[in-house]
């Protein structure tokens, strides 16, 4: 398969656009692989790509029950950022940010990575202190941050409600390198790049069981037959419990629905990503002009892939409090994705808990920004049978040992994060 | 989604606060395996795709704890009862 370039554009333009080939093969599963990744979303495809590129493993299959990118990778708000606080997670997200910055050159694919910046608004002195601390923690991990005062925020976002009597905007924490990326293009880019390295991408192949030898997992049963593998990695956000149930494993995970919304198209208005500090509301503007926004999870266990109205109202209230002009806009679309909420709000990338099994789960509502580093670290964990330093804190046994990464400080309640 | 509270009648789920799976019960802290049992009680969940018994608190209503049986795939509620044994809609 040829590389995309200016020359390939010109050559195909001169030949009536008839020379383009499919970006990846629709592979038929072989009886056995060295590594099987269950889940053809961003995380699974990135894992396969980095396994092939960084670790030289080429005999890999990615199994997807529908078509690739049909799960959460196609159902998110496309924000990329690394404005985290704790030593266990900030270096990981900053590595993800660095991978985003080189992603398009690496994959030879236009993922529309757009570093337009994120501003986390604060509305009180205490919140300003907390964001100053967060900004310092980001800088200690090599990320960028800038504490903006009220007038600096006003210069960037004059349309916000600065004089709201309940939630006056006092400033914001800016990460200029944050922004958005085209979620579908990330999936397609990783799929194409992994395919070029020999990875089999098998679509419409649902895993229905596991092949066991003693304790060990040595393959999977699928709707397209049994497939054996030396190593099986799970990257199936939202559905992890459905698979681990087949292995009699209980995890610190609950599945919840997270909704997001898109408004009608506007001329360019929102310069980057804005988050409301006093409720849960975040907004950015897509390249087509629609405002993309979301808020809290629905808050109770759900596999329904659709949301309910109380959260729609809650998100709209948050939006109106900070940005009253959205009251004049129509919501065009809403969708709900399944997120696997972990008990401390942080992900799990680990070896085990059974021999031959590898876990990548618990992304809560923040999996998209982590896609490159998640794949990179999961590939390292699978290839070396040990976590990389960047995901060494994302162990499954942290709940047992007490080393939880509780960034929001709300404890063992996944519906509160 | 509407929940039919045995005391107040059918109300919007907006009036309720959610706790989660009703199955975990607080282990005996003096049992020899208490550490392991508390780990499972606090963190581990079955998280089924299907019927689930769960605890809801009617915070904007009668302020009772309810045990609600709901299908997590469809939000269909098949049973609601007071969580505390012996409570009635007096």
């Amino acid at each position: 398969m040829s590389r995309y370039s200016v020359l390939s554009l010109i050559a195909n333009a001169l030949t009536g656009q008839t020379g383009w080939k499919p970006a990846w093969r629709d592979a038929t599963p072989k009886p056995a692989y060295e590594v099987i990744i269950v889940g053809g979303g961003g995380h699974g495809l990135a894992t396969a790509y980095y396994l092939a590129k960084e670790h030289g493993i080429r005999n890999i299959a990615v199994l997807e029950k529908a078509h690739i990118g049909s799960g959460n990778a196609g159902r998110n708000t496309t924000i990329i950022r690394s404005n985290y606080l704790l030593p266990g997670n900030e270096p990981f997200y900053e590595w993800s940010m660095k991978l985003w910055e080189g992603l398009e050159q690496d994959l030879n694919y236009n993922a529309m990575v757009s570093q337009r910046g994120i501003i986390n608004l604060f509305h009180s002195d205490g919140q300003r202190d907390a964001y100053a601390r967060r900004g310092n923690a980001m800088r200690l991990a090599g990320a960028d941050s800038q504490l903006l005062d009220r007038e600096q925020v006003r210069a960037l976002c004059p349309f916000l409600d600065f004089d709201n009597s309940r939630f006056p905007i006092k400033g914001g924490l800016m990460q200029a390198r944050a922004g958005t990326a085209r979620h579908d293009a990330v999936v397609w880019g990783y799929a194409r790049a992994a395919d070029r390295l020999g990875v089999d991408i098998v679509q419409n192949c649902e895993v229905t069981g596991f092949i066991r030898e003693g304790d060990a997992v040595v393959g999977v049963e699928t709707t397209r037959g049994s497939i054996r593998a030396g190593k099986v990695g799970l990257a199936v956000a939202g559905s992890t419990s459905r698979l681990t149930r087949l292995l009699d494993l209980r995890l610190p995970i609950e599945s919840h629905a997270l909704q997001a919304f898109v408004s009608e198209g506007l001329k360019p208005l929102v310069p980057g990503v804005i988050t409301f500090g006093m409720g849960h509301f975040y907004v950015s503007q897509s390249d087509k002009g629609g405002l993309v926004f979301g808020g809290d999870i629905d808050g109770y266990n759900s596999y329904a892939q659709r949301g309910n109205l109380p959260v729609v109202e809650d998100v709209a209230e948050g939006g109106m409090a900070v940005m009253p002009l959205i009251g004049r806009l129509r919501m065009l679309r809403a969708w709900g994705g399944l997120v696997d909420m972990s008990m401390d709000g942080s992900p799990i990338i680990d070896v085990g808990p059974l021999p031959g099994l590898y876990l990548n789960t618990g992304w809560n509502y923040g999996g998209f920004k982590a896609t490159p580093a998640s794949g990179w670290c999961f590939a390292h964990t699978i290839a070396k049978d040990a976590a990389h330093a960047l995901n060494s804190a994302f162990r499954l046994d942290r709940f047992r040992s007490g080393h939880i990464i509780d960034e929001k400080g709300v404890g063992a309640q996944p519906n509160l994060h | 989604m509407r929940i039919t509270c045995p005391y107040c009648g059918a109300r919007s789920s907006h009036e309720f606060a959610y706790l989660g799976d009703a199955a975990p019960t607080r282990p005996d802290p003096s049992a020899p395996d208490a550490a392991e049992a508390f780990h499972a009680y606090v963190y581990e969940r079955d998280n089924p795709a299907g019927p689930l018994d769960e605890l809801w608190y009617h915070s904007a209503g009668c302020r009772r704890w309810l045990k609600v049986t709901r299908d997590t795939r469809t939000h269909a509620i098949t049973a609601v009862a007071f969580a505390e044994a012996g409570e009635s809609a007096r």
Side-chain angles (χ1 to χ4, degrees), chain A residues 251-253 343 399-400 404 412, chain B residues 38-45:
Chain A
L251 294 176
I253 295 284
M343 290 287 173
F399 300 97
R400 190 170 263 107
I404 57 173
Chain B
F38 266 97
H39 172 259
Y41 168 67
V42 174
Y43 294 115
E44 291 183 346
R45 295 292 179 268

Side-chain angles (χ1 to χ4, degrees), chain A residues 63-119:
Chain A
L63 309 183
E64 168 56 44
K65 71 176 172 186
H67 56 272
I68 62 165
S70 58
N72 288 357
R75 295 168 171 268
N76 59 71
T77 48
T78 75
I79 296 166
I80 59 176
R81 60 185 172 87
S82 65
N83 50 1
Y84 281 74
L85 173 69
L86 300 175
N89 59 15
E90 171 60 19
F92 170 85
Y93 286 103
E94 176 54 20
W95 176 235
S96 203
M97 201 62 231
K98 290 199 170 75
L99 289 173
W100 281 116
E101 289 175 321
L103 188 73
E104 292 162 324
Q105 288 72 23
D106 191 22
L107 299 182
N108 179 231
Y109 203 91
N110 179 10
M112 294 166 69
V113 173
S114 171
Q115 294 178 284
R116 291 175 285 176
I118 185 169
I119 301 174

Side-chain angles (χ1 to χ4, degrees), chain A residues 166-228:
Chain A
R166 281 183 78 195
F167 311 117
I169 294 168
K170 297 202 165 190
L173 178 67
M174 169 92 157
Q175 184 183 21
R177 285 163 61 240
T180 59
R182 171 81 200 277
H183 53 330
D184 291 323
V186 173
V187 171
W188 300 330
Y190 271 120
R192 176 170 170 273
D195 180 87
R196 284 164 60 120
L197 296 175
V199 173
D200 275 2
I201 295 165
V202 185
Q203 303 181 91
N204 301 309
C205 180
E206 182 172 0
V207 170
T208 55
F210 290 88
I211 308 172
R212 307 283 295 271
E213 275 176 13
D215 261 357
V217 174
V218 295
V220 291
E221 305 283 356
T222 75
T223 50
R224 297 177 72 173
S226 305
I227 311 172
R228 294 182 76 87

Side-chain angles (χ1 to χ4, degrees), chain A residues 44 62 91 192 205-206 229 248 313 356 365 380 384-385 387 399 405:
Chain A
V62 177
R192 176 170 170 273
C205 180
E206 182 172 0
D248 295 323
E313 188 180 352
Y365 25 53
H380 184 281
K384 310 279 188 199
D385 276 307
F399 300 97
I405 312 167

Side-chain angles (χ1 to χ4, degrees), chain A residues 241 250 299 301 303 400 415, chain B residues 18 36 43 46-47 70 72:
Chain A
S241 295
R250 296 173 89 226
N301 292 36
Y303 283 94
R400 190 170 263 107
N415 54 327
Chain B
Y18 182 68
E36 190 53 39
Y43 294 115
D46 284 331
N47 191 24
R70 185 178 60 94
T72 59

Side-chain angles (χ1 to χ4, degrees), chain A residues 238 241-242 245 249-257 298-310 313-314 317 340 343-344 396 399-400 402 404 412-413 415, chain B residues 1-2 12-21 23-24 35-36 39-52 54-56 70-76:
Chain A
S241 295
R242 281 197 267 205
R245 212 175 159 78
L249 289 174
R250 296 173 89 226
L251 294 176
I253 295 284
E254 282 184 2
S255 297
H256 288 249
D298 275 22
Y300 41 84
N301 292 36
S302 174
Y303 283 94
Q305 282 197 320
R306 62 178 168 81
N308 269 314
L309 287 172
E313 188 180 352
D314 183 66
E317 283 171 353
D340 40 7
M343 290 287 173
D344 62 354
L396 178 60
F399 300 97
R400 190 170 263 107
I404 57 173
Q413 279 290 337
N415 54 327
Chain B
M1 192 165 87
R2 288 170 79 74
S12 163
S13 63
H14 214 166
E15 290 188 6
F16 297 80
Y18 182 68
L19 183 68
D21 193 336
E36 190 53 39
H39 172 259
Y41 168 67
V42 174
Y43 294 115
E44 291 183 346
R45 295 292 179 268
D46 284 331
N47 191 24
L52 173 68
E54 49 197 16
L55 293 172
W56 292 77
R70 185 178 60 94
D71 192 312
T72 59
R73 295 165 301 184
T74 60
H75 301 320

Side-chain angles (χ1 to χ4, degrees), chain A residues 87-390:
Chain A
N89 59 15
E90 171 60 19
F92 170 85
Y93 286 103
E94 176 54 20
W95 176 235
S96 203
M97 201 62 231
K98 290 199 170 75
L99 289 173
W100 281 116
E101 289 175 321
L103 188 73
E104 292 162 324
Q105 288 72 23
D106 191 22
L107 299 182
N108 179 231
Y109 203 91
N110 179 10
M112 294 166 69
V113 173
S114 171
Q115 294 178 284
R116 291 175 285 176
I118 185 169
I119 301 174
N120 299 130
L121 299 174
F122 55 78
H123 311 268
S124 68
D125 291 348
Q127 222 179 2
R128 181 187 56 225
D129 293 350
Y131 276 150
R133 177 179 173 225
R134 179 178 292 257
N136 289 339
M138 290 163 64
R139 285 171 173 246
L140 285 172
D144 62 308
S145 70
Q146 190 188 351
L147 202 64
L148 305 179
D149 64 23
R150 179 185 164 94
E151 293 314 312
Q152 287 171 303
V153 174
R154 196 197 295 273
L156 290 167
C157 309
F159 51 84
L160 296 177
D161 185 0
F162 286 83
D163 301 316
N164 186 303
S165 50
R166 281 183 78 195
F167 311 117
I169 294 168
K170 297 202 165 190
L173 178 67
M174 169 92 157
Q175 184 183 21
R177 285 163 61 240
T180 59
R182 171 81 200 277
H183 53 330
D184 291 323
V186 173
V187 171
W188 300 330
Y190 271 120
R192 176 170 170 273
D195 180 87
R196 284 164 60 120
L197 296 175
V199 173
D200 275 2
I201 295 165
V202 185
Q203 303 181 91
N204 301 309
C205 180
E206 182 172 0
V207 170
T208 55
F210 290 88
I211 308 172
R212 307 283 295 271
E213 275 176 13
D215 261 357
V217 174
V218 295
V220 291
E221 305 283 356
T222 75
T223 50
R224 297 177 72 173
S226 305
I227 311 172
R228 294 182 76 87
K231 299 179 175 185
V232 177
L234 304 185
V236 289
S239 299
T240 309
S241 295
R242 281 197 267 205
L243 284 180
T244 54
R245 212 175 159 78
L246 302 169
L247 295 163
D248 295 323
L249 289 174
R250 296 173 89 226
L251 294 176
I253 295 284
E254 282 184 2
S255 297
H256 288 249
L258 175 63
Q259 300 184 69
F261 311 91
V262 176
S263 79
E264 58 192 319
L266 302 176
K267 288 186 176 180
L269 170 74
V270 181
V273 183
I274 299 166
T275 77
F276 177 36
M278 295 305 280
H280 203 161
F281 174 80
Y282 50 89
V283 61
S284 63
Q285 189 166 15
S286 79
D287 291 348
K288 287 201 298 193
L291 300 188
V292 183
F293 53 97
D296 275 323
I297 57 171
D298 275 22
Y300 41 84
N301 292 36
S302 174
Y303 283 94
Q305 282 197 320
R306 62 178 168 81
N308 269 314
L309 287 172
V311 169
V312 180
E313 188 180 352
D314 183 66
V315 170
E317 283 171 353
M320 288 297 290
V322 71
M323 194 173 163
L325 70 84
I326 67 165
R328 303 291 295 272
L329 297 180
R330 278 164 291 205
M331 279 187 205
L332 287 196
R333 290 188 289 131
W335 64 92
L338 293 187
V339 294
D340 40 7
M341 300 296 295
S342 69
M343 290 287 173
D344 62 354
S346 296
I348 296 160
I349 306 178
D350 204 358
V351 179
L354 298 172
L357 187 71
Y358 300 79
L359 275 188
N360 182 334
T361 182
W363 289 100
N364 303 285
Y365 25 53
F368 180 71
K369 72 180 88 68
T371 303
S374 166
W376 199 90
C377 288
F378 197 34
H380 184 281
T381 303
I382 291 172
K384 310 279 188 199
D385 276 307
H388 188 271
L390 288 167

